[in-house]
Amino acid sequence: MTTLPPLPMTRPKLTSLARQKLPCSPTTAPRSQLIKEKNDIDHYLEENFKGLSKEEVAAYRNSYKKNIYVDMLRDGYHKSFTELFSLMEQWDAVRDPARFGSLFLQRPLEEQRDKLDHFYHYLTRAEVAERKEYFEDVYNNLYALACYFNNSEDRWVRNHFFERCFKIAQLIKMDGGKKEAEAHGNMGLLFEEDGQLLEAAEHYEVFHQLTHGRMWKDETGRFLNLLACESLLRTYRLLSDKMLENKKYKQAIRILIKAAEIAKEGNDRKMEGEASYYLGLAHLAAGEYETALTVLNTYSKISTELDDDLSLGRAYEAIAKVLQSQGEMTEAIKYLKKVVKIARNNFQNLDVVRASTMLGDIYNEKGYYNKASEYFQQAFDTTAELTNIPLMDETKVHYGIAKAHQMMQTVKNYIESADLTSLDYLLSWKESRSNIAPDPITAESRRSTMENLPQNSEHLEEELSGFPDIQKNET
Amino acid sequence: MNVIYPLAVPKGRRLCCEVCDAPAERVCTACTVTYYCGVVHQRADWGSIHEKICQLLIPLRTSMPFYNSEEERKHGLQQLQQRQHLIEFCYTVAQKYLFEGKHEDAVPAALHSLRFRMNVHGLSSVELVPAYLLLAEASLGLGRIVQAEEYLCQAQWTVLKSTECSYATHSLLHRNLGLLYMAKENYEEARYHLANDIYFASCAFGTEDIRTSGGYFHLANIFYGLKKLDRADTLYTKVSEIWNKYLNNHYQVLSQARIQQIDLLGKRFETDTGLDEAQEAEAIRILTSIWNIRESTSDTAPQKTIFVLKTLVMLYHLMMNSSKAQEYAMRALDLAREQQLSDQEQNSIQDLLSLISAEDAHPVT
C-alpha cells in the first residue's frame, strides 16, 4: 500500500474561509456580495468594507469539525455526514475511557484539520460515485482514505474503510474481479495484523484463487499473484508456528505441504525453497526424520541453484540437526563444518556461533573434549566480536563445561593416586582455581590448553560453581 | 352579557384583547376571565384553542397575588405547575395545527403558549424560543414573511444571548430559519441553515432519529425545487427509511408485548404510535408529500413508491385509522401488480393487507 501525495483538494467554502486570515481590507468582489444586504453599497464602501459576512462569522465561531459537517450537508451529502458522525463518535469513545496517557498524546480530531479535510474530500466523492453507481470510483476513494490513515494510532479507521472497500468490491463486476481480489488481500492483511490467522488465511486463499493465472499488477508494479502467494505463505507459516507450539504436528505439516504446493505454482524458486525449509523443520519437530531429510535436500539444491549462500547455510544446518537427532554424528559433523565455512565467508557471525556451538556439543557428547573446547572457544570469540551479552554468557557456559571435562581426567587421576604430589596439585588448584599442574601422563593434551586457562579461569569458576550437577553427571 | 366598557374598568387596570392586545370590548361568558377586542378575534380564539382551555384559565387568572397563608402559597405553587402543563398543551395544539396546515388557527394558540412561558420564565429566557419559532412558522404559512422574520430574529437573539441552549432548540431554530429563507427564495442561506439544523439534531438525537428526519425532508424539498433530482431522491429515501425503521420497531415491540399480555389479561392492547399528535401530523405530512413526489416517477422506480406506501400503511394502522390504511395498501398492491414486481413483494403487501383486515375484524375491547 502506498500513501498518495497530498492532493490539491477542493476545500469547501466555509472551511476555506476558516483557514484564511482575516484580511484588513477586503478587495474581492464576492465578499462584498456576501455582506451586502441592503442594495446600495457604493464603490468606496465595497472596497473598504470592514466587516464580516454571516458565513465568515460562522466560520470563525464554529469549530472546524462543525464547518465540515455543515458543508457536507449543504451539498446534500448526507451519507458522508452519517458516516463521519458515527466515526467521530467512535473516535471519542476510543479516546475517552481511562486512557489518560494516550489522551494527552493524541490531539482531538477537531484540531486535526488535515484529517477532516481528507474525510470531506474523499467521502463526498465516494457518495457522488455511489449515486451514479460507479462502484469503482467509490472503491478508489475509500481505498485512498484507508491508505491515508495507515498509521499506528488511526489503525481502526483504516480497518473500517477496508471493510467498506470490501463490501463495495463485492458489487464491482466490470473489471473481472480485480478489485474484489485486492479487497480480499486487504481484509487478509487486516486479520493478520489482528492475529486472527484463520480468517486471514481464508481471505488470502480467495485472493490467490482470483489472481490465479491473471496478469494483474498493483500500483507498485508487482504481480498480484505473487503478492497473493507471499501473503498466503506467510500466513500459513504463522499458523503452523502456532500449531507447532501446541504440538499439533499433523495439522502443521498439512498446512505447510499446502504452502509448498502453492509456492511451486507461484514459480518463484526462492519461495519454494523457503516453503521446503519450513516443512523440513516441521517434520523434524514431529520426529519424521526421513521426510525431513528429503525435503531439506530439495531446499539445499534450490539454494545452490540460486547461488544463495545464506540459505545454503541454513539448509545444511537443518540437515545437520536432523542427522544429529537420528544419531548420525559423523555426517552431521561434516555438514556443520560446511556451514561454518560458508558462514565465515559471508561474515554471518551469528551463524558461526550457532554452528560452532552445535559442533562442540556433538564432540562433547562423543567424548572429544579437546575438539569440543576448541569449537566452543571459536564460538566465544565470535560472540565477543558481536558484543551480544546473553549470547556471550551462553557460549561462556558451554566453553566452561568443555574445559571442565578436559580437566576431569587429570583431576580424577590425582584423586585416585592420592599421593603427596597429587594432593599438593589438587590443593593449589582449589586455592587458586587457575592452572592445575600438568599430569605427566596426560601432559601433552594439557599443553595446548595451558595458555588459555588463565584467560578463562574466572569463567570457569562461575560455571563450575553454577553447574555442579554437570560434573556429577559426568563422573 | 359579554360586552365590556373599557371606561368602567377600575382605574389602573387595563383589559386587553387576547389576540391583539387592543383595549378589550368583549368578555368570554364561559370563563369570564378572557377578554377580546371584537367578535372576529373571539371567534378565532375559540376555534383555535379557547374551547379547550377555557375552564383551565379560570383558576389561573383569578388567583390572589397576595399569599397570606400556607394554603394560598401552596395554591400559588400548584398554579405554577398548572401553567407548565398548559404551556405544553398549547404548544402541542399549535404544532398540530401547523402540520395540518391550518396556520390561521395556530396563531392564537401559539400566542397563548408564548404568554404563558413569559409568565413563568421571564422575558428573555431560552424557553421562549420554541414559542417564537411556532409563531414564525405560522406567519410563514400565512405568507407574512416580514412578521416571521421579526419573530425569528427575536428567537435568534435570545439563543445567542443564552448560555445553555440545548441542541434541540438550536436545531429547531435553524429549521425555521431555513424555512424562512426558502420562502424568501434565498436557497443558499436556506441550505446552510438546514445543514445546521441536521447537525444539531444529530448531536441531540442521533442521525437516524425521526426528529432529524424533518431536516432531511426540507433539504430534499430544496433540492427538488432546484431540480437536483438525484440528491433530492437520496434524501427522500433516507427519510422514508428512518420512518419505516421507527414504525417497524414500534410495531414489533407492540406485538411482542401483546403476545405476552394476552395470556394474563385476555385483553388486547391498543395500538399506538408512541408519538404525540404533532409528530403524527408531521409524519403524515412528510410521508404523503414523499409519496406524491414518488408517484410522478413511479414508472422508473416502483419499489420506492411501494416502500413509502407500506410505511404509510403502517402509520395509519398504528394510528387506528384502518380505512386509510386499507386504501393505501390496496394502492400498493395494484401498483405492484401493474409493474409486475416480484412475487415476494406482492406477498408481503398481501400479508400486510390481511393483517389490517384481521385487526379490523376484531375490534379492540
Side-chain angles (χ1 to χ4, degrees):
Chain A
M1 274 185 301
T2 54
T3 48
L4 302 171
L7 301 172
M9 281 191 288
T10 54
R11 291 231 175 78
K13 229 178 5 174
L14 271 185
T15 47
S16 56
L17 283 174
R19 278 177 174 250
Q20 282 168 17
K21 292 211 186 85
L22 183 66
C24 287
S25 54
T27 52
T28 54
R31 192 153 173 272
S32 66
Q33 297 258 327
L34 287 174
I35 299 172
K36 178 165 80 170
E37 300 212 322
K38 302 199 187 351
N39 287 328
D40 47 349
I41 285 191
D42 61 355
H43 182 70
Y44 175 75
L45 204 57
E46 208 175 285
E47 292 288 308
N48 300 329
F49 203 108
K50 291 188 194 341
L52 293 172
S53 70
K54 238 192 291 195
E55 288 200 338
E56 281 170 343
V57 171
Y60 287 114
R61 245 175 148 237
N62 300 329
S63 63
Y64 198 72
K65 177 173 83 156
K66 182 162 178 253
N67 284 333
I68 292 267
Y69 279 142
V70 171
D71 279 326
M72 267 188 195
L73 283 170
R74 257 217 304 208
D75 296 323
Y77 298 124
H78 64 96
K79 286 203 189 125
S80 322
F81 171 71
T82 322
E83 184 152 359
L84 188 58
F85 199 76
S86 54
L87 268 179
M88 294 286 260
E89 278 184 356
Q90 275 183 341
W91 200 294
D92 289 333
V94 160
R95 278 181 59 229
D96 277 333
R99 289 231 226 112
F100 289 112
S102 60
L103 196 69
F104 295 138
L105 290 176
Q106 208 187 34
R107 290 178 298 157
L109 193 59
E110 290 90 60
E111 297 173 17
Q112 295 179 15
R113 293 188 169 187
D114 295 324
K115 292 194 186 165
L116 288 174
D117 279 337
H118 271 96
F119 270 128
Y120 177 81
H121 182 75
Y122 287 115
L123 280 177
T124 44
R125 281 172 46 165
E127 185 159 350
V128 167
E130 198 174 339
R131 268 189 221 148
K132 300 196 199 125
E133 308 217 339
Y134 292 159
F135 290 120
E136 284 220 23
D137 251 350
V138 181
Y139 180 87
N140 284 337
N141 283 314
L142 291 175
Y143 185 65
L145 208 47
C147 290
Y148 180 74
F149 282 107
N150 191 15
N151 52 4
S152 58
E153 56 182 26
D154 298 325
R155 196 136 278 184
W156 59 276
V157 181
R158 184 198 69 165
N159 293 348
H160 170 87
F161 281 114
F162 270 154
E163 277 167 25
R164 275 209 65 191
C165 283
F166 183 59
K167 279 190 208 115
I168 295 285
Q170 314 240 314
L171 297 170
I172 300 179
K173 307 277 177 240
M174 295 289 291
D175 65 349
K178 177 173 177 204
K179 289 276 186 286
E180 203 178 331
E182 275 183 23
H184 273 289
N186 292 333
M187 292 298 283
L189 187 65
L190 218 156
F191 283 121
E192 193 183 336
E193 283 179 4
D194 213 12
Q196 300 177 24
L197 291 171
L198 282 172
E199 275 105 8
E202 262 177 46
H203 281 286
Y204 279 138
E205 267 167 34
V206 181
F207 185 23
H208 178 76
Q209 258 173 338
L210 286 172
T211 55
H212 190 64
R214 312 278 193 123
M215 303 292 285
W216 292 323
K217 293 199 195 165
D218 73 350
E219 54 237 12
T220 51
R222 298 168 63 208
F223 283 111
L224 281 180
N225 198 13
L226 214 60
L227 205 56
C229 288
E230 268 181 39
S231 323
L232 201 49
L233 284 175
R234 203 174 51 228
T235 325
Y236 279 150
R237 199 161 353 113
L238 287 170
L239 260 176
S240 62
D241 277 344
K242 233 199 276 185
M243 287 186 194
L244 282 176
E245 274 173 24
N246 296 338
K247 304 225 186 289
K248 297 210 180 89
Y249 295 126
K250 288 251 177 290
Q251 280 184 15
I253 288 174
R254 213 165 355 131
I255 287 185
L256 284 171
I257 291 179
K258 251 201 289 186
E261 276 166 33
I262 289 178
K264 241 182 256 165
E265 282 174 26
N267 291 331
D268 184 1
R269 297 294 275 167
K270 191 156 187 283
M271 279 203 291
E272 232 186 287
E274 288 210 13
S276 341
Y277 177 58
Y278 286 109
L279 188 55
L281 283 180
H283 279 300
L284 173 63
E288 297 163 14
Y289 298 124
E290 293 299 325
T291 21
L293 264 180
T294 14
V295 173
L296 287 168
N297 274 328
T298 358
Y299 181 42
S300 53
K301 251 184 264 156
I302 296 176
S303 323
T304 28
E305 265 179 36
L306 291 175
D307 223 357
D308 188 355
D309 276 341
L310 293 174
S311 30
L312 194 58
R314 274 205 299 183
Y316 285 150
E317 205 182 311
I319 294 178
K321 249 192 259 175
V322 173
L323 290 169
Q324 191 183 5
S325 326
Q326 275 185 321
E328 304 264 344
M329 292 306 178
T330 33
E331 295 275 329
I333 289 173
K334 244 197 299 181
Y335 275 106
L336 281 173
K337 286 211 179 107
K338 275 196 237 173
V339 172
V340 172
K341 208 169 41 172
I342 294 175
R344 199 156 280 145
N345 287 344
N346 291 334
F347 306 107
Q348 287 293 313
N349 288 333
L350 274 177
D351 284 344
V352 171
V353 168
R354 230 189 2 246
S356 328
T357 321
M358 279 169 70
L359 265 174
D361 209 24
I362 296 180
Y363 278 126
N364 203 3
E365 281 183 21
K366 289 176 76 169
Y368 296 137
Y369 299 127
N370 295 341
K371 293 231 149 174
S373 63
E374 196 185 300
Y375 280 111
F376 282 135
Q377 192 192 0
Q378 261 184 26
F380 179 60
D381 289 335
T382 331
T383 55
E385 286 173 34
L386 283 179
T387 65
N388 180 348
I389 305 285
L391 209 55
M392 269 177 80
D393 287 338
E394 220 183 300
T395 42
K396 263 195 259 173
V397 170
H398 287 298
Y399 191 23
I401 294 175
K403 280 247 157 277
H405 289 164
Q406 270 182 307
M407 274 199 176
M408 183 178 65
Q409 191 64 24
T410 330
V411 172
K412 203 168 78 144
N413 288 338
Y414 282 157
I415 296 176
E416 278 178 354
S417 56
D419 61 358
L420 206 55
T421 38
S422 345
L423 285 174
D424 259 339
Y425 287 145
L426 277 176
L427 276 173
S428 64
W429 179 67
K430 283 272 183 181
E431 275 172 24
S432 63
R433 292 275 178 175
S434 54
N435 311 342
I436 188 158
D439 195 5
I441 307 168
T442 53
E444 277 127 3
S445 53
R446 291 283 86 77
R447 212 173 289 136
S448 56
T449 58
M450 281 303 275
E451 306 92 60
N452 303 320
L453 278 175
Q455 271 178 320
N456 303 305
S457 49
E458 310 89 60
H459 312 314
L460 281 175
E461 277 178 318
E462 285 171 41
E463 270 57 85
L464 286 174
S465 53
F467 292 84
D469 47 336
I470 306 289
Q471 283 189 312
K472 266 190 252 154
N473 287 338
E474 295 299 313
T475 49
Chain B
M1 276 306 292
N2 49 9
V3 182
I4 297 270
Y5 299 108
L7 290 172
V9 168
K11 187 170 173 186
R13 189 146 175 247
R14 218 178 134 237
L15 297 172
C16 305
C17 171
E18 281 288 323
V19 181
C20 66
D21 262 357
E25 307 261 331
R26 303 177 68 89
V27 66
C28 167
T29 38
C31 59
T32 69
V33 291
T34 325
Y35 300 96
Y36 298 101
C37 69
V39 190
V40 178
H41 281 180
Q42 187 174 19
R43 286 225 184 92
D45 200 29
W46 178 259
S48 152
I49 195 160
H50 196 70
E51 185 181 355
K52 300 177 178 121
I53 60 174
C54 190
Q55 302 304 312
L56 296 172
L57 284 174
I58 300 179
L60 225 53
R61 291 191 173 168
T62 55
S63 64
M64 311 259 281
F66 186 59
Y67 302 130
N68 43 17
S69 71
E70 185 65 38
E71 300 132 25
E72 292 197 358
R73 252 171 267 142
K74 275 200 207 132
H75 186 59
L77 269 171
Q78 265 178 3
Q79 297 256 328
L80 219 60
Q81 277 158 4
Q82 258 223 332
R83 276 214 193 111
Q84 196 74 25
H85 165 72
L86 262 180
I87 289 173
E88 289 302 321
F89 183 67
C90 290
Y91 187 72
T92 326
V93 167
Q95 258 192 332
K96 193 173 101 149
Y97 280 136
L98 277 178
F99 286 125
E100 288 171 4
K102 301 181 196 156
H103 298 281
E104 277 285 348
D105 295 331
V107 173
L111 276 173
H112 270 280
S113 170
L114 180 64
R115 228 172 271 133
F116 288 134
R117 280 174 198 246
M118 274 194 213
N119 276 336
V120 175
H121 297 287
L123 265 182
S124 57
S125 143
V126 185
E127 306 288 331
L128 296 180
V129 171
Y132 278 128
L133 294 174
L134 268 185
L135 278 168
E137 211 175 321
S139 320
L140 266 181
L142 289 172
R144 302 193 201 127
I145 295 188
V146 179
Q147 195 163 39
E149 200 167 345
E150 259 182 49
Y151 283 127
L152 278 174
C153 286
Q154 179 77 353
Q156 209 175 11
W157 179 245
T158 319
V159 165
L160 273 177
K161 293 270 287 185
S162 74
T163 44
E164 345 84 15
C165 190
S166 71
Y167 283 133
T169 323
H170 272 293
S171 146
L172 211 51
L173 171 68
H174 280 284
R175 189 173 300 183
N176 283 83
L177 278 167
L179 286 173
L180 171 71
Y181 283 112
M182 270 169 81
K184 282 165 71 171
E185 305 208 347
N186 185 348
Y187 291 116
E188 279 291 322
E189 287 284 336
R191 273 162 47 187
Y192 170 73
H193 283 293
L194 284 172
N196 269 317
D197 160 34
I198 298 175
Y199 168 70
F200 282 119
S202 307
C203 286
F205 307 120
T207 51
E208 307 286 332
D209 196 83
I210 48 176
R211 284 162 282 202
T212 328
S213 67
Y216 284 127
F217 177 65
H218 291 301
L219 197 57
N221 280 341
I222 294 185
F223 283 126
Y224 190 70
L226 289 174
K227 300 286 172 219
K228 296 205 181 138
L229 290 173
D230 51 351
R231 298 191 201 189
D233 194 47
T234 54
L235 283 165
Y236 283 135
T237 323
K238 175 127 188 153
V239 173
S240 11
E241 273 170 15
I242 291 178
W243 275 106
N244 198 19
K245 203 157 53 147
Y246 175 79
L247 288 169
N248 255 335
N249 273 347
H250 206 73
Y251 190 67
Q252 298 297 339
V253 166
L254 270 182
S255 42
Q256 286 284 24
R258 195 183 300 164
I259 292 171
Q260 288 169 355
Q261 279 284 21
I262 202 166
D263 307 317
L264 288 181
L265 294 178
K267 255 207 289 197
R268 302 194 51 182
F269 258 101
E270 278 194 26
T271 54
D272 77 311
T273 52
L275 306 166
D276 62 19
E277 290 181 336
Q279 282 174 318
E280 278 179 7
E282 183 182 3
I284 293 178
R285 190 178 76 146
I286 289 181
L287 288 170
T288 324
S289 40
I290 297 184
W291 176 55
N292 285 330
I293 292 176
R294 292 266 191 245
E295 278 273 275
S296 46
T297 60
S298 72
D299 292 328
T300 48
Q303 281 102 340
K304 296 187 192 163
T305 325
I306 294 200
F307 190 68
V308 177
L309 278 170
K310 285 210 281 199
T311 325
L312 268 170
V313 167
M314 230 177 328
L315 179 64
Y316 278 119
H317 174 55
L318 285 174
M319 277 170 62
M320 311 267 283
N321 192 343
S322 47
S323 56
K324 288 221 97 157
Q326 277 191 325
E327 180 197 328
Y328 280 114
M330 290 309 303
R331 263 195 233 231
L333 199 58
D334 292 333
L335 193 60
R337 285 211 193 105
E338 228 178 283
Q339 300 283 341
Q340 291 171 346
L341 285 178
S342 66
D343 286 330
Q344 200 187 15
E345 277 288 327
Q346 295 197 16
N347 286 338
S348 67
I349 302 176
Q350 287 275 25
D351 289 337
L352 211 54
L353 197 54
S354 46
L355 186 69
I356 299 168
S357 358
E359 289 274 331
D360 217 12
H362 305 283
V364 176
T365 46

